[in-house]
Amino acid sequence: MSATITYALTPVGVVRSSLTQRDEAPKQGTEGAPDAWLDVTPNLVVGLDGLVVGQVIIVVTWFHQARRDVLKVHPRGDLNLPLTGVFATRSPDRPNPLGLHRVQIFELAGSKLKVGPLEAIDGTPIVDIKPVLAESADS
Amino acid sequence: MSATITYALTPVGVVRSSLTQRDEAPKQGTEGAPDAWLDVTPNLVVGLDGLVVGQVIIVVTWFHQARRDVLKVHPRGDLNLPLTGVFATRSPDRPNPLGLHRVQIFELAGSKLKVGPLEAIDGTPIVDIKPVLAESADS
């Protein structure tokens, strides 16, 4: 069973944002999050070739401040909502605290991309960037 | 710069599929991929509480057969298409070979979920499961 294997995830960049505290970040980008910069590791810049301003992308982050030992949470931190399995929520607390953020590209400047809206806080590691597929709403 | 840090990604389950070879897998689930089973690690089953049959989820996988040293590819492996940065494509070959798969849940049986359509091959590690948000098409 591959569950005993571990894979090494290496950040490809970092989020630069005016949000600095987890408790001040909106739960989702669409809930009033600011624009932010994706600061991509310089030696990976060639991997950005083909991205264009206006395009919608999925940024995959690693919630470095999340708890990985939590399997149930109150959705949105609302104690009035019943405890729910983390895989049925978008809580950052989960075994592998990966975040998916659908954002638009507003500016491309070498290894830096201005995007938004993005609810990830300043310093959040970026682990992948993907285009949104035309034929599917996601993914 | 956090790009020098590495995070340990531990699979939360594995894909059980009739697809066994990367070259027989469709490029995307919507391109004729079969249904498959998500075999979740038994001690994480409580994390599935709240998922229901019919729901659409995002399965995050780790493409264990991908090349991590590739920064440009011909999209869809088509040599007629110009070399493009991997972050502008959905190629499994990328620095962190994470796959995003939007699928529907067809059956829930303890630690096993029947979902589809899913283009990931048999044995592909699952690293996260997330609900699709109502308010956004993705993500």
Side-chain angles (χ1 to χ4, degrees):
Chain A
M1 173 87 187
S2 44
T4 54
I5 298 174
T6 285
Y7 298 99
L9 201 60
T10 305
V12 300
V14 66
V15 172
R16 305 292 185 200
S17 174
S18 58
L19 294 173
T20 59
Q21 302 291 329
R22 182 173 162 178
D23 59 10
E24 69 179 350
K27 300 292 186 195
Q28 300 298 330
T30 50
E31 298 175 10
D35 296 340
W37 286 91
L38 309 182
D39 191 353
V40 175
T41 307
N43 65 336
L44 301 178
V45 161
V46 68
L48 300 172
D49 273 15
L51 292 176
V52 296
V53 170
Q55 186 172 2
V56 178
I57 56 174
I58 305 286
V59 180
V60 187
T61 61
W62 183 261
F63 290 123
H64 57 309
Q65 296 189 3
R67 291 183 55 189
R68 304 186 62 176
D69 58 346
V70 171
L71 288 176
K72 284 206 160 187
V73 294
H74 293 285
R76 302 182 61 83
D78 182 345
L79 298 181
N80 294 316
L81 296 175
L83 277 171
T84 304
V86 289
F87 298 130
T89 81
R90 296 295 285 248
S91 170
D93 298 321
R94 53 206 310 117
N96 292 305
L98 294 165
L100 301 184
H101 315 270
R102 185 187 175 97
V103 297
Q104 189 169 16
I105 301 175
F106 296 124
E107 200 173 329
L108 279 163
S111 62
K112 300 185 195 338
L113 291 77
K114 189 179 185 185
V115 303
L118 184 63
E119 78 280 15
I121 64 173
D122 188 65
T124 300
I126 301 162
V127 296
D128 204 3
I129 295 169
K130 296 179 188 291
V132 169
L133 298 178
E135 68 262 37
S136 93
D138 133 43
S139 10
Chain B
M1 171 88 188
S2 45
T4 54
I5 298 175
T6 284
Y7 299 99
L9 201 62
T10 305
V12 301
V14 65
V15 172
R16 306 294 185 197
S17 174
S18 57
L19 294 172
T20 59
Q21 302 291 327
R22 182 173 162 178
D23 59 10
E24 68 179 349
K27 300 292 184 196
Q28 299 299 331
T30 50
E31 297 175 10
D35 297 339
W37 286 90
L38 309 182
D39 191 353
V40 174
T41 308
N43 63 337
L44 301 177
V45 162
V46 68
L48 300 172
D49 274 13
L51 293 176
V52 295
V53 170
Q55 187 172 1
V56 177
I57 56 174
I58 305 286
V59 179
V60 187
T61 61
W62 182 263
F63 290 123
H64 57 308
Q65 295 189 2
R67 289 183 56 189
R68 303 185 63 176
D69 58 346
V70 171
L71 288 176
K72 284 205 161 189
V73 295
H74 294 284
R76 304 182 60 82
D78 181 346
L79 297 181
N80 294 316
L81 296 174
L83 277 172
T84 304
V86 288
F87 298 129
T89 80
R90 297 295 285 249
S91 170
D93 298 322
R94 53 206 311 117
N96 292 305
L98 293 165
L100 301 184
H101 314 270
R102 185 187 174 97
V103 298
Q104 188 169 16
I105 301 176
F106 295 125
E107 200 173 327
L108 278 164
S111 62
K112 301 185 192 339
L113 290 77
K114 189 178 185 184
V115 302
L118 183 64
E119 77 281 15
I121 64 173
D122 189 64
T124 300
I126 301 161
V127 296
D128 204 3
I129 296 170
K130 296 178 189 292
V132 169
L133 298 178
E135 69 262 40
S136 92
D138 125 48
S139 15

